[in-house]
Amino acid sequence: MDFKVGADGTVFATRELQVPSEQVAFTVTAWDSQTAEKWDAVVRLLVAQTSSPHSGHKPQKGKKIMALDPSPPPKDTLLPWPQHQNANGLRRRKRDWVIPPINVPENSRGPFPQQLVRIRSDKDNDIPIRYSITGVGADQPPMEVFSIDSMSGRMYVTRPMDREEHASYHLRAHAVDMNGNKVENPIDLYIYVIDMNDNRPEFINQVYNGSVDEGSKPGTYVMTVTANDADDSTTANGMVRYRIVTQTPQSPSQNMFTINSETGDIVTVAAGLDREKVQQYTVIVQATDMEGNLNYGLSNTATAIITVTDVNDNPPEFTASTFAGEVPENRVETVVANLTVMDRDQPHSPNWNAVYRIISGDPSGHFSVRTDPVTNEGMVTVVKAVDYELNRAFMLTVMVSNQAPLASGIQMSFQSTAGVTISVMDINEAPYFPSNHKLIRLEEGVPPGTVLTTFSAVDPDRFMQQAVRYSKLSDPASWLHINATNGQITTAAVLDRESLYTKNNVYEATFLAADNGIPPASGTGTLQIYLIDINDNAPELLPKEAQICEKPNLNAINITAADADVDPNIGPYVFELPFVPAAVRKNWTITRLNGDYAQLSLRILYLEAGMYDVPIIVTDSGNPPLSNTSIIKVKVCPCDDNGDCTTIGAVAAAGLGTGAIVAILICILILLTMVLLFVMWMKRREKERHTKQLLIDPEDDVRDNILKYDEEGGGEEDQDYDLSQLQQPEAMGHVPSKAPGVRRVDERPVGAEPQYPIRPMVPHPGDIGDFINEGLRAADNDPTAPPYDSLLVFDYEGSGSTAGSVSSLNSSSSGDQDYDYLNDWGPRFKKLADMYGGGEED
């Protein structure tokens, strides 16, 4: 034997070995003598590279550092480094212990804590040793998964392990004396959690959606489903296998699909996928671990929904072989027939959308077939007006196809064409003028009644017996007349090219042609008359007025000739002065500048300032020529150095002498003086009128002054009144009538004016006192009176009063009238008595 195991668990080599590889593995078995329970551990021997005999290092005697206590039987054991022999003989080098991994099954039921291994140092016989462990699971999170008895070196697991949480742990074992000094080098402990099948496969999705074209061949890929198992994928616990449990519907075969057990790829396994029969399949897929062993493995399921996608495997078919429709003539963008088709492909997809094409029967392109996007029907539409007189019916052949091409292997059937018969309806069409606009040429000035042309219309309704009547629609100058029966046009007045109704020598009129169909129809035509000019307008001179200096110099009048005619009936013009009166040629001369212009200037050395009418004869170049005598008003005036008329000279030239100008200025001065005297007289009259109207002292006149009492009233009681009463409504039937003879100036009379009592012609102090007292009493008892003092007027006499006012008394009585009785009325009337008692002074 090459290796032996001591009672203390020490493994050593029995002889010198030549190990062919760098690693040797064997199994060590330990058992309990009382319970006969056995444990197996795999020991891997690592071969270290020894130094060369000439390296200068002296081999040391090997020494055991730590060992596993065989009681209780260990799970693993410690291995010494192998011995090597040099040239000087057999020597042992220092050896360390390598701890094989410790395997712990997950989900153990205990009891806990459960011993895993015991660590011992060969020095524990000499000194007390303290053992400890560090690392994840000991003193690092997760904490206290493993523990160690510091005295005995026994290491325990304290709870069940979960491989999916931590698959392995790396700890270090330490041995120190009672003073904390390191006795041995730390030993690495590797603990592996043995996987148990405690997790079911989990699908990534509970529902998978996939699609496949109808008519696909067997073996066509559809989709992939994937399930994950948290267990160890290198063992059977995590090896997942797939299978199809059910397929719905089971048409046309119960096994239309298959699944790759390892990859989860779903493919078609049978032919016959037809969307028009089955649009969707529901497949239940099961994933099982333990390599698909249904007896020991754990399973889970998911749903795969497979949609059969449409391909264009059904050509559209007309529902009938022939269709019919009718269309009125001269109508466009009208649907005349609807073509229906049947297509079993998916609606509103390119495989279903129909495309129509007219293949015969419409060489002129009168029709097109458009597709209704909702119903997929073909709408035969008129795109170019048809004429009943040319085509009474059309026989169309229409072919239909899909927007998408047919799938390979599908042939278009003969039913994809249909015939369409379209009848044309005759309607009453309007007459039309074949030559529109019609242009004729003639000279202006033709006499009324001249026949110009025949402007006739054509009725397109050849198969209807109808009569056409003519009338004028537009004749701006009323120059034309049209025969209502045959359309002959004659002149009704003289045509004048120079008229405002002629534009660019053309006169335009519009005529109407109407038939007697049901309903009647009418058309319009335009006649254009190009008027050739004749010399019927004499030339005129411009300007009509001008001015010139009274002494001849370079100052001359430029004259322009204008003619309403056109070439050759215009210039060059001939300008000349008449022989009668003789003073014209004596005083003036005219010089032609060119065909249209001339200059008028003085012939004599001096001409008296004033206005002169100078006649000039101008003749055009027409055949025969026309002449015209134009009068130009020329103002002759004295000029300054610049050749411009002076201000005095302009007035003198207007025909007024110095005496006339002085007379005009005197008249203006007299008129201003009279206006000033009239204004002064009016102001004096106004002042005298105001003086006579003052019958009493203005300071004592209660009608013209406001008395200020500086009293604010009695508080709340003074303010308790109705403000609406101040507005004096038009009708106040509920207000009792006031006593006659008194009124307030802040109130307009309501209703008819009261009739005042008749007083005697000669007033008496007692009568006037009674009159005033009655007025005051009526004012105090007036329910409409405002809560403040108001002015009472007593001199209102009303209509029909025989008594006069104070002013009338003054005017009607004689100068010796006695007004002494006014003194008895009190101090207010005393001054009035003094004023009117003056007699002559007044």
Side-chain angles (χ1 to χ4, degrees):
M1 298 178 62
D2 294 330
F3 300 98
K4 285 186 178 181
V5 180
D8 60 352
T10 303
V11 179
F12 55 89
T14 59
R15 60 184 179 87
E16 185 177 356
L17 300 175
Q18 295 293 331
V19 180
S21 62
E22 295 182 356
Q23 178 175 312
V24 175
F26 52 87
T27 303
V28 177
T29 302
W31 66 90
D32 191 342
S33 60
Q34 296 180 357
T35 62
E37 186 177 1
K38 293 183 178 182
W39 292 269
D40 293 333
V42 177
V43 178
R44 292 180 176 86
L45 175 62
L46 301 178
V47 180
Q49 298 293 333
T50 59
S51 60
S52 171
H54 305 285
S55 61
H57 293 282
K58 182 178 180 180
Q60 296 181 0
K61 183 179 179 180
K63 181 180 180 181
K64 181 184 70 173
I65 304 301
M66 281 191 181
L68 294 179
D69 190 348
S71 177
K75 298 292 181 68
D76 290 295
T77 185
L78 298 178
L79 295 180
W81 289 99
Q83 300 178 13
H84 294 275
Q85 186 177 7
N86 56 17
N88 297 326
L90 180 63
R91 295 292 183 98
R92 299 182 62 186
R93 61 184 296 270
K94 184 178 179 180
R95 55 181 180 170
D96 287 335
W97 296 98
V98 178
I99 305 299
I102 302 172
N103 296 321
V104 180
E106 65 173 335
N107 302 324
S108 174
R109 296 183 179 180
F112 297 99
Q114 182 180 0
Q115 182 177 337
L116 296 180
V117 70
R118 181 183 178 187
I119 302 174
R120 286 187 61 236
S121 172
D122 55 0
K123 295 182 180 181
D124 61 354
N125 294 325
D126 301 330
I127 59 174
I129 302 297
R130 296 290 183 267
Y131 301 96
S132 63
I133 55 175
T134 60
V136 175
D139 60 347
Q140 299 178 21
M143 308 286 287
E144 299 180 353
V145 176
F146 302 98
S147 64
I148 189 170
D149 188 327
S150 62
M151 299 300 295
S152 64
R154 291 183 176 89
M155 189 176 74
Y156 301 92
V157 60
T158 62
R159 58 179 182 237
M161 309 292 287
D162 187 0
R163 192 202 67 84
E164 287 70 42
E165 182 178 352
H166 284 280
S168 65
Y169 295 88
H170 178 202
L171 303 177
R172 305 198 77 182
H174 305 271
V176 297
D177 59 13
M178 300 302 293
N179 294 324
N181 299 318
K182 182 174 68 172
V183 176
E184 305 285 357
N185 291 328
I187 298 177
D188 290 324
L189 301 177
Y190 293 95
I191 302 172
Y192 292 97
V193 182
I194 301 174
D195 183 46
M196 305 292 289
N197 190 18
D198 59 344
N199 291 278
R200 292 179 180 275
E202 296 291 340
F203 282 97
I204 297 177
N205 301 312
Q206 283 300 311
V207 178
Y208 291 84
N209 292 286
S211 62
V212 61
D213 290 341
E214 62 175 330
S216 296
K217 297 179 180 180
T220 303
Y221 172 80
V222 179
M223 67 169 69
T224 299
V225 296
T226 303
N228 297 323
D229 197 315
D231 293 326
D232 190 357
S233 60
T234 63
T235 66
N237 296 336
M239 295 181 181
V240 179
R241 299 294 181 265
Y242 303 92
R243 72 186 187 94
I244 294 178
V245 180
T246 60
Q247 168 196 308
T248 306
Q250 298 180 0
S251 174
S253 172
Q254 62 181 357
N255 295 318
M256 294 297 297
F257 306 96
T258 186
I259 188 170
N260 188 306
S261 62
E262 294 184 3
T263 63
D265 294 341
I266 300 177
V267 296
T268 60
V269 70
L273 289 173
D274 190 353
R275 191 204 64 85
E276 286 72 39
K277 295 180 180 179
V278 179
Q279 298 183 3
Q280 192 177 83
Y281 290 91
T282 302
V283 177
I284 304 300
V285 179
Q286 184 183 57
T288 306
D289 57 17
M290 298 300 290
E291 297 182 284
N293 190 323
L294 299 178
N295 295 325
Y296 304 104
L298 301 177
S299 301
N300 217 332
T301 60
T303 302
I305 298 177
I306 302 174
T307 302
V308 181
T309 57
D310 184 51
V311 298
N312 193 13
D313 57 347
N314 293 281
E317 300 177 2
F318 282 106
T319 58
S321 60
T322 59
F323 297 88
E326 61 179 11
V327 55
E329 63 175 336
N330 302 321
R331 191 80 58 85
V332 294
E333 298 301 327
T334 301
V335 178
V336 297
N338 289 349
L339 313 181
T340 56
V341 295
M342 180 183 65
D343 195 321
R344 293 189 297 272
D345 290 322
Q346 183 176 358
H348 306 290
S349 69
N351 301 328
W352 178 82
N353 295 337
V355 178
Y356 299 89
R357 183 166 59 93
I358 299 175
I359 59 177
S360 65
D362 185 23
S364 301
H366 291 284
F367 304 94
S368 70
V369 185
R370 302 170 183 173
T371 303
D372 189 318
V374 177
T375 64
N376 212 28
E377 295 180 354
M379 302 179 294
V380 182
T381 307
V382 182
V383 295
K384 181 180 177 181
V386 297
D387 190 352
Y388 176 83
E389 284 70 31
L390 297 178
N391 299 100
R392 299 189 183 184
F394 291 86
M395 298 294 295
L396 308 179
T397 301
V398 180
M399 184 177 68
V400 63
S401 60
N402 286 127
Q403 183 178 348
L406 284 174
S408 60
I410 306 298
Q411 300 295 328
M412 178 70 74
S413 88
F414 67 92
Q415 294 180 346
S416 60
T417 61
V420 183
T421 302
I422 300 177
S423 302
V424 181
M425 300 167 52
D426 189 17
I427 62 174
N428 185 26
E429 299 177 78
Y432 67 94
F433 292 88
S435 55
N436 194 18
H437 300 12
K438 185 175 182 179
L439 177 65
I440 62 173
R441 299 170 61 93
L442 76 155
E443 289 186 351
E444 63 174 331
V446 296
T450 303
V451 177
L452 300 182
T453 185
T454 299
F455 196 28
S456 58
V458 176
D459 192 344
D461 297 312
R462 294 177 296 163
F463 302 100
M464 296 182 183
Q465 300 298 326
Q466 298 179 149
V468 178
R469 305 287 293 180
Y470 301 92
S471 61
K472 286 196 303 183
L473 192 62
S474 172
D475 183 12
S478 300
W479 287 346
L480 305 177
H481 171 75
I482 188 168
N483 188 294
T485 304
N486 57 19
Q488 187 181 69
I489 296 177
T490 57
T491 59
V494 176
L495 278 63
D496 186 6
R497 191 199 66 85
E498 290 75 33
S499 171
L500 297 176
Y501 299 103
T502 302
K503 306 297 181 183
N504 298 325
N505 301 331
V506 176
Y507 178 76
E508 190 172 277
T510 306
F511 300 92
L512 184 71
D515 61 20
N516 57 352
I518 300 176
S522 60
T524 60
T526 301
L527 177 65
Q528 294 179 331
I529 304 174
Y530 185 88
L531 296 175
I532 302 172
D533 184 47
I534 63 174
N535 194 17
D536 57 345
N537 291 278
E540 297 286 341
L541 291 180
L542 295 175
K544 299 296 183 182
E545 295 182 357
Q547 67 180 19
I548 196 171
C549 296
E550 59 188 5
K551 294 181 180 181
N553 51 20
L554 297 178
N555 192 354
I557 301 172
N558 292 325
I559 300 173
T560 303
D563 198 323
D565 294 323
V566 295
D567 189 66
N569 297 319
I570 51 175
Y573 299 99
V574 177
F575 303 89
E576 56 182 344
L577 297 174
F579 291 95
V580 178
V584 174
R585 284 181 172 262
K586 176 182 177 182
N587 298 334
W588 303 91
T589 181
I590 190 167
T591 304
R592 177 179 172 182
L593 299 178
N594 56 29
D596 297 330
Y597 302 99
Q599 277 189 346
L600 179 66
S601 59
L602 286 173
R603 178 184 294 272
I604 60 178
L605 296 178
Y606 172 80
L607 184 62
E608 184 180 358
M611 293 296 297
Y612 296 88
D613 291 338
V614 180
I616 299 176
I617 302 173
V618 58
T619 305
D620 60 23
S621 299
N623 186 17
L626 291 181
S627 299
N628 182 34
T629 301
S630 297
I631 304 297
I632 298 179
K633 292 184 175 295
V634 180
K635 180 171 63 176
V636 179
C637 58
C639 295
D640 55 17
D641 295 338
N642 297 325
D644 298 326
C645 285
T646 60
T647 304
I648 299 177
V651 175
L656 297 178
T658 304
I661 295 174
V662 173
I664 292 174
L665 293 177
I666 294 175
C667 291
I668 293 173
L669 183 61
I670 293 174
L671 180 61
L672 292 176
T673 304
M674 293 178 63
V675 170
L676 180 61
L677 292 175
F678 178 75
V679 171
M680 295 176 62
W681 178 75
M682 289 298 294
K683 287 185 177 181
R684 182 177 181 82
R685 284 285 306 274
E686 184 69 18
K687 184 176 181 180
E688 292 177 354
R689 185 171 63 84
H690 282 291
T691 303
K692 291 182 179 180
Q693 289 179 354
L694 292 176
L695 302 179
I696 59 176
D697 192 325
E699 294 180 359
D700 296 331
D701 188 1
V702 296
R703 293 175 299 175
D704 294 332
N705 293 278
I706 298 176
L707 301 180
K708 184 176 181 182
Y709 294 93
D710 291 331
E711 294 180 359
E712 297 180 357
E716 295 294 337
E717 294 182 359
D718 233 15
Q719 298 177 8
D720 189 14
Y721 60 91
D722 187 6
L723 292 177
S724 64
Q725 300 298 330
L726 302 178
Q727 300 177 359
Q728 292 297 324
E730 296 293 340
M732 296 182 60
H734 63 284
V735 179
S737 59
K738 302 176 184 179
V742 63
R743 65 181 176 89
R744 296 192 307 274
V745 296
D746 56 351
E747 174 190 4
R748 65 176 181 178
V750 179
E753 295 292 342
Q755 297 293 328
Y756 290 87
I758 300 175
R759 292 183 292 165
M761 291 297 295
V762 179
H764 188 272
D767 294 337
I768 296 202
D770 295 338
F771 177 76
I772 293 175
N773 291 332
E774 290 178 4
L776 291 174
R777 190 182 305 108
D780 293 337
N781 296 326
D782 186 5
T784 64
Y788 52 81
D789 295 334
S790 59
L791 181 61
L792 304 180
V793 180
F794 293 89
D795 62 347
Y796 184 82
E797 297 176 356
S799 58
S801 174
T802 58
S805 64
V806 176
S807 59
S808 63
L809 289 173
N810 181 37
S811 60
S812 61
S813 60
S814 61
D816 55 356
Q817 178 68 37
D818 185 10
Y819 293 95
D820 294 337
Y821 64 91
L822 295 176
N823 295 325
D824 299 332
W825 293 358
R828 294 184 178 182
F829 296 91
K830 184 176 183 302
K831 190 171 183 178
L832 186 62
D834 296 336
M835 291 177 60
Y836 287 94
E840 295 300 331
E841 293 179 3
D842 186 61

